[in-house]
Amino acid sequence: MITLSGLESKLISSKERIRNQEKINFISYADDFIITSADEELLNNKVIPIIERFLAERGLELSKEKTKITHISKGVDFLGFNIRKYSNNKVLTKPAKENIKSFIKEIKETIMSNIPL
């Protein structure tokens, strides 16, 4: 989405030393985005205020209901997938639980609608 164009450059320092220290990453698709960092305090004190100012300049606001700060070991849902880092340092991407439930429900309805009475 063109509205988010430029947000990444506001969040991530152009100086390599700072960039390596903060470890801020930005991933976006259309109007959805994830921002990661090694430090929760950095997200709360630097990143969120930058996002709020950036969006306000465009007449938008950050959704408090959709904004979530969590550790990657608990996983995060993004674009219908769950991304999670496990204790063995493996990162797995799987379909999100809600998508699986919806898919199973749809299959069940299809099967039930095709059973002759």
Side-chain angles (χ1 to χ4, degrees):
M1 181 178 225
I2 199 157
T3 304
L4 296 178
S5 180
L7 179 57
E8 183 175 10
S9 63
K10 298 241 185 236
L11 294 170
I12 300 172
S13 176
S14 61
K15 296 179 180 160
E16 187 174 351
R17 181 181 56 80
I18 295 172
R19 200 170 48 244
N20 291 338
Q21 180 183 359
E22 292 180 335
K23 297 179 183 174
I24 296 172
N25 298 294
F26 178 81
I27 303 134
S28 68
Y29 183 81
D31 63 342
D32 289 330
F33 60 91
I34 293 178
I35 299 169
T36 65
S37 172
D39 184 11
E40 182 178 341
E41 191 174 313
L42 179 69
L43 289 170
N44 284 315
N45 297 332
K46 179 184 177 185
V47 172
I48 289 179
I50 289 172
I51 295 168
E52 289 174 335
R53 279 193 305 273
F54 184 89
L55 293 175
E57 291 170 2
R58 288 149 182 83
L60 301 169
E61 61 182 52
L62 191 61
S63 169
K64 300 294 181 190
E65 297 83 37
K66 293 181 181 180
T67 302
K68 180 178 172 183
I69 295 180
T70 186
H71 196 275
I72 190 69
S73 65
K74 293 182 181 174
V76 61
D77 288 345
F78 184 60
L79 302 176
F81 291 90
N82 180 271
I83 304 162
R84 183 174 172 191
K85 184 175 183 178
Y86 292 85
S87 58
N88 62 2
N89 280 336
K90 287 190 179 185
V91 177
L92 296 179
T93 303
K94 304 177 186 179
K97 285 183 182 181
E98 287 301 314
N99 283 17
I100 293 170
K101 287 179 184 177
S102 173
F103 181 70
I104 290 171
K105 180 181 177 190
E106 189 176 322
I107 290 172
K108 182 178 180 180
E109 289 172 356
T110 301
I111 291 170
M112 296 306 284
S113 69
N114 287 303
I115 295 176
L117 297 174

